């Protein structure tokens, strides 16, 4: 776990709004109950997980993989997430790639389907431009799966950068470059070892912290 000073800095700068009081209780990464995974070069799948809306930047992920496939790259991509309003660009890319054999779009998926998809992943891709927290990267890292993610995702800023390729630029070009880097088996294996070294909070941790806060709260404030 991170140090108390780092946690306090994180809460003050990232998670708590200006002028607001109360605790910040980060969520757990073990909600999908995925067993700890191990790297093999046979893993070709990248997973993009989350609601499909402009701020999630899924169109850039699709554009990046379209470029990679044009180059002859054999990486696979699975996109999981429900479509929201204002997703014309994303819908356009989904249509363009509908016949691509290395691409699959699942839409809504239950926990069992998410476990199945992530258990075959080489990495999670999470290129959101804006997040309140960002749970999928924690769920991947808890299972030992590396992530390609936007720099500044709140859930990751409470962690060391181990097992992550953090992108300050979340353009299709930057995402494609990160995938090319991870396609190197030695680079991928190193990131997998780093991910396995992380200590990711669980939902039990979150519940314990919430219970402790509630117990300490003055009766008049309840």
């Amino acid at each position: 776990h991170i140090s108390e000073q780092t946690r306090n800095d994180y809460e003050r700068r990232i998670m708590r709004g200006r002028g607001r009081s109360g605790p910040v209780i980060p969520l757990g990464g073990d909600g999908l109950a995925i067993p700890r995974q191990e790297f093999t070069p046979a893993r070709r799948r990248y997973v993009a997980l989350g609601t499909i809306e402009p701020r999630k930047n899924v169109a850039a992920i699709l554009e990046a993989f379209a470029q990679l496939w044009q180059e002859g790259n054999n990486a696979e991509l699975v996109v999981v997430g429900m479509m929201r309003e204002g997703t014309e660009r994303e819908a356009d890319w989904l249509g363009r790639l509908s016949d691509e054999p290395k691409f699959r779009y699942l839409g809504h998926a239950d926990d069992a389907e998410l476990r199945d998809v992530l258990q075959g992943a080489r990495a999670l891709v999470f290129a959101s431009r804006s997040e309140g927290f960002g749970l999928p990267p924690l769920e991947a890292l808890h299972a030992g799966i590396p992530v390609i993610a936007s720099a500044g995702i709140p859930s990751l800023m409470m962690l060391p950068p181990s097992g992550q390729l953090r992108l300050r630029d979340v353009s299709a070009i930057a995402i494609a470059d990160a995938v090319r880097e991870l396609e190197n088996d030695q680079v991928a294996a190193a990131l997998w070892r780093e991910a396995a070294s992380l200590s990711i909070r669980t939902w039990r941790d979150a519940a314990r912290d919430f219970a402790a806060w509630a117990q300490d709260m003055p009766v008049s404030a309840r």
Side-chain angles (χ1 to χ4, degrees):
H1 290 288
I2 60 174
S3 70
E4 188 65 27
Q5 181 62 48
T6 302
R7 169 74 60 78
N8 290 339
D9 289 346
Y10 165 78
E11 291 178 357
R12 185 177 64 253
R13 292 185 297 107
I14 304 300
M15 294 297 290
R16 182 185 288 117
R18 183 184 298 274
R20 295 183 179 178
S21 60
V24 172
I25 301 175
L27 308 179
D30 62 335
L32 293 175
I34 300 174
R36 179 59 63 90
Q37 301 295 293
E38 295 184 2
F39 174 69
T40 69
R43 288 178 177 265
R44 311 305 311 159
R45 180 187 304 161
Y46 294 79
V47 177
L49 172 59
T51 306
I52 298 179
E53 54 185 312
R55 72 181 177 88
K56 296 286 189 177
N57 204 29
V58 175
I61 297 173
L62 296 170
E63 183 179 352
F65 276 83
Q67 177 60 47
L68 292 166
W69 293 326
Q70 285 184 348
E71 298 169 2
N73 194 299
N74 289 319
E76 302 170 6
L77 175 64
V78 177
V79 172
V80 185
M82 294 293 291
M83 298 278 285
R84 291 277 180 87
E85 294 182 1
T87 56
E88 290 82 4
R89 185 170 173 234
E90 291 80 2
D92 178 62
W93 272 108
L94 289 174
R96 289 195 219 179
L97 298 175
S98 60
D99 294 328
E100 169 57 56
K102 293 183 286 294
F103 173 65
R104 185 159 44 122
Y105 171 53
L106 292 185
H108 174 74
D110 60 25
D111 284 357
E113 291 172 309
L114 290 177
R115 281 192 292 270
D116 181 64
V117 168
L118 285 170
Q119 285 179 151
R122 190 180 185 96
L124 177 83
V125 186
F126 197 77
S128 180
R129 292 192 179 94
S130 175
E131 282 294 332
F133 184 69
L135 189 57
L138 281 192
E139 292 175 328
L141 289 168
H142 188 271
I145 301 168
V147 299
I148 297 170
S150 315
I153 296 293
S155 62
L156 296 181
M157 291 186 70
M158 60 188 289
L159 297 174
S162 304
Q164 305 151 54
L165 294 180
R166 296 184 179 180
L167 307 180
R168 296 197 175 278
D169 172 17
V170 287
S171 66
I173 292 173
I175 295 167
D177 284 344
V179 173
R180 292 187 192 97
E181 187 173 352
L182 253 171
E183 285 293 279
N184 181 308
D185 289 340
Q186 291 183 332
V187 171
L191 283 168
W192 274 74
R193 287 192 296 271
E194 290 179 6
S197 73
L198 291 172
S199 179
I200 306 296
R201 283 172 56 88
T202 67
W203 281 100
R204 184 179 293 274
D205 294 327
R208 184 192 62 236
D209 290 351
F210 181 82
W213 168 71
Q215 186 174 17
D216 292 341
M217 184 191 300
V219 174
S220 60
R222 296 180 187 177

